[in-house]
Amino acid sequence: MKNERIKNESPEDIPDGLKKLGHRKHFQKGEMLFSVHDKAEGFYFVESGEIRVFKMDEQGREVEVVRLSSGDFLGEAIVFVSSVYPVFAQAVMDSDVLFFAKTRIHQEITQNPGIALYFVDLLARKCVVLSSKIESLGLRTVRQRLIQYLLSRCSGEQQCLVELKVKKGELAKILGTISETLSRNLKHMQDEGLIEVEGNKVMIKNCTALREELLPSFP
């Protein structure tokens, strides 16, 4: 089961009428694009690099919402419905983005029906993916979310070696949990003989069994 997310457009696929309105910005690794409650003055398009979007719970723990890379939009829905950003956005690595000012986009939409239709399609597709993500976070256990993450990076039928590209603390945020819970689930799955963990490498020993855990159960 592949990780469900919208892969939007490559820079050359953006309509010329929209692309010319963007202003290029560079963010270094660890630099914030914006913080929660900052004034939402515009949205971004990622040309290169990686951006993580996250929130914080009442205990100050980070809960990662999504990671965005080349071809992804960030905040385009927010600028149409909110005056402030409801999340944090931070560069995971050096990243180049196009920034689109809200006022210029609003003006362009009123004058260019093609741009308006482009955003209708973009936002509609994002709603579908976000609904699926909410369902995954709300109805699936941490174990199931971990299995889905591993299988989305697995190409084997029976066994597969998955190399984790992020540290376990970062992976916990991606899965909407904490490091201790993630480590406990990895240990349980290893004790059950489903996986073997060595450093940042996870050997899936029974892909079929893991896939079956994601199948819906019926009474």
Side-chain angles (χ1 to χ4, degrees):
M1 181 177 294
K2 295 295 181 184
N3 188 28
E4 292 182 85
R5 64 191 293 259
I6 292 178
K7 195 63 188 173
N8 290 315
E9 322 293 340
S10 61
E12 59 270 18
D13 291 332
I14 299 177
D16 290 337
L18 174 62
K19 188 175 180 180
K20 69 181 182 181
L21 301 178
H23 172 66
R24 282 187 170 81
K25 292 187 176 185
H26 177 78
F27 291 90
Q28 296 182 338
K29 178 181 178 180
E31 191 175 355
M32 301 296 297
L33 280 72
F34 54 79
S35 297
V36 68
H37 300 318
D38 281 355
K39 186 177 180 181
E41 296 181 333
F43 62 93
Y44 300 82
F45 177 81
V46 184
E47 291 192 302
S48 65
E50 187 174 47
I51 308 295
R52 73 185 188 101
V53 180
F54 64 96
K55 302 189 76 170
M56 286 189 179
D57 63 18
E58 295 179 353
Q59 287 72 44
R61 294 175 300 190
E62 294 180 6
V63 178
E64 189 157 305
V65 178
V66 69
R67 289 207 173 204
L68 305 173
S69 57
S70 177
D72 287 325
F73 279 98
L74 167 60
E76 73 282 5
I78 296 171
V79 299
F80 289 106
V81 298
S82 176
S83 60
V84 298
Y85 296 111
V87 293
F88 298 87
Q90 182 182 40
V92 178
M93 59 182 72
D94 287 0
S95 302
D96 292 305
V97 303
L98 286 175
F99 174 76
F100 297 92
K102 178 196 295 188
T103 53
R104 293 196 68 188
I105 293 300
H106 285 180
Q107 182 180 13
E108 186 71 16
I109 286 176
T110 61
Q111 299 175 352
N112 189 335
I115 296 296
L117 289 175
Y118 179 84
F119 277 104
V120 169
D121 176 69
L122 174 65
L123 294 174
R125 288 186 290 122
K126 179 160 285 190
C127 283
V128 173
V129 173
L130 290 178
S131 294
S132 177
K133 183 175 180 66
I134 291 171
E135 179 181 0
S136 175
L137 289 173
L139 301 180
R140 287 184 171 169
T141 64
V142 173
R143 177 181 173 114
Q144 289 173 324
R145 299 200 294 270
L146 172 58
I147 290 173
Q148 182 177 14
Y149 182 89
L150 293 174
L151 289 178
S152 71
R153 288 151 179 81
C154 174
S155 58
E157 290 297 326
Q158 295 301 322
Q159 292 191 347
C160 186
L161 180 64
V162 176
E163 183 175 355
L164 301 179
K165 301 295 186 181
V166 296
K167 295 180 179 179
K168 290 180 181 177
E170 291 295 309
L171 177 55
K173 295 173 185 176
I174 292 173
L175 299 178
T177 186
I178 58 177
S179 297
E180 293 80 1
T181 302
L182 172 62
S183 296
R184 187 164 57 250
N185 277 271
L186 285 169
K187 185 178 185 303
H188 287 168
M189 291 167 61
Q190 183 165 261
D191 291 343
E192 294 167 18
L194 294 171
I195 63 173
E196 286 184 2
V197 182
E198 184 175 348
N200 68 332
K201 294 182 173 61
V202 178
M203 170 60 75
I204 301 177
K205 301 176 68 177
N206 192 333
C207 299
T208 301
L210 291 188
R211 290 191 181 96
E212 288 177 351
E213 291 200 32
L214 297 181
L215 294 176
S217 58
F218 299 94

